[in-house]
Amino acid sequence: SQQGEEDPQALSIQEGENATMNCSYKTSINNLQWYRQNSGRGLVHLILIRSNEREKHSGRLRVTLDTSKKSSSLLITASRAADTASYFCATARASGTYKYIFGTGTRLKVLA
Amino acid sequence: EPEVTQTPSHQVTQMGQEVILRCVPISNHLYFYWYRQILGQKVEFLVSFYNNEISEKSEIFDDQFSVERPDGSNFTLKIRSTKLEDSAMYFCASRADNTEAFFGQGTRLTVV
């Protein structure tokens, strides 16, 4: 798989349910970030988790990082229709310029 | 809250014309990036810039592309002779040492 691949590619849930998105990557990283993008719009930073962290919370968001499996998950609890968007993970390598490699994204649709 | 600003938000240009996309990074940031996203596809790294020089570039960033930080505040991406396939959303990003990358809202480039 490519660096920063999310699954599922698309997810449709009812309002109030939880949404879980996963990201896998290949190389050692310094940190991993999750971004949200509404259709055709800019990238909104959600949360950053560093390689020495295992879990972070921000409001209704919970991110985990498993460096041994080279994977991360984003959990959105009690989803709302306004959470409908594409979600991307972006990994920064452990060395070099820290360029971010984006995954293919998960398109989340929350039905009211 | 500081933010990365990009102008214009939308640019339409004729094939073969030169375009300059402008970005104002966050003022104390040191690392600058350009990314692009072709409609419906993933966000792709183009180039990173640090200490007034390109630190890394992707295969996409060929001789048609150049970047410049002309005055210590702006960060520009120039495409010398645009092609239809250059149509995409272009994102500028900046970051400080060991922080997350902040992205601008993007410039939608349409080449006709």
Side-chain angles (χ1 to χ4, degrees):
Chain A
S1 61
Q2 297 178 17
Q3 181 86 349
E5 275 205 346
E6 287 94 333
D7 77 86
Q9 291 189 344
L11 180 61
S12 187
I13 59 174
Q14 294 291 326
E15 212 168 24
E17 293 181 338
N18 296 341
T20 300
M21 289 159 268
N22 303 297
C23 167
S24 61
Y25 58 91
K26 282 188 165 181
T27 61
S28 295
I29 62 171
N30 175 278
N31 63 72
L32 182 147
Q33 300 181 55
W34 284 91
Y35 288 86
R36 166 198 165 118
Q37 184 181 39
N38 287 70
S39 181
R41 307 292 293 275
L43 295 161
V44 176
H45 178 260
L46 296 177
I47 200 163
L48 177 150
I49 186 164
R50 302 190 191 284
S51 59
N52 60 352
E53 297 174 313
R54 292 296 167 258
E55 187 170 313
K56 283 189 87 167
H57 296 255
S58 177
R60 292 184 296 114
L61 306 180
R62 173 177 168 254
V63 168
T64 62
L65 179 65
D66 187 335
T67 52
S68 66
K69 294 181 180 177
K70 291 187 168 57
S71 67
S72 173
S73 68
L74 170 68
L75 169 67
I76 304 174
T77 60
S79 63
R80 305 166 182 166
D83 294 328
T84 295
S86 289
Y87 292 82
F88 295 91
C89 70
T91 53
R93 292 182 309 189
S95 61
T97 60
Y98 290 176
K99 73 178 184 187
Y100 286 93
I101 302 296
F102 280 78
T104 49
T106 293
R107 293 187 308 282
L108 174 66
K109 187 168 185 178
V110 181
L111 304 169
Chain B
E1 187 173 323
E3 59 181 15
V4 176
T5 306
Q6 289 186 243
T7 55
S9 57
H10 189 190
Q11 172 127 21
V12 181
T13 189
Q14 290 203 327
M15 194 168 52
Q17 294 295 305
E18 174 184 286
V19 293
I20 297 177
L21 309 183
R22 302 179 191 282
C23 170
V24 179
I26 294 172
S27 63
N28 62 339
H29 285 186
L30 302 173
Y31 302 84
F32 312 110
Y33 307 85
W34 282 102
Y35 288 79
R36 80 170 186 192
Q37 184 183 34
I38 294 171
L39 186 64
Q41 298 187 24
K42 65 193 289 185
V43 178
E44 300 172 292
F45 168 77
L46 290 179
V47 65
S48 59
F49 192 85
Y50 171 72
N51 202 24
N52 285 321
E53 60 182 23
I54 290 173
S55 45
E56 189 170 356
K57 59 183 180 180
S58 72
E59 294 172 354
I60 303 167
F61 195 88
D62 61 22
D63 291 343
Q64 293 296 314
F65 291 89
S66 62
V67 290
E68 203 175 35
R69 190 157 159 79
D71 56 12
S73 63
N74 291 286
F75 180 51
T76 62
L77 174 69
K78 181 193 289 186
I79 308 175
R80 285 189 185 78
S81 178
T82 50
K83 302 186 278 286
L84 294 176
E85 54 264 38
D86 293 327
S87 294
M89 184 80 98
Y90 289 80
F91 292 104
C92 171
S94 71
R95 67 173 186 87
D97 260 335
N98 212 22
T99 68
E100 68 266 36
F102 291 81
F103 282 79
Q105 287 301 301
T107 292
R108 181 171 298 283
L109 176 66
T110 303
V111 182
V112 297

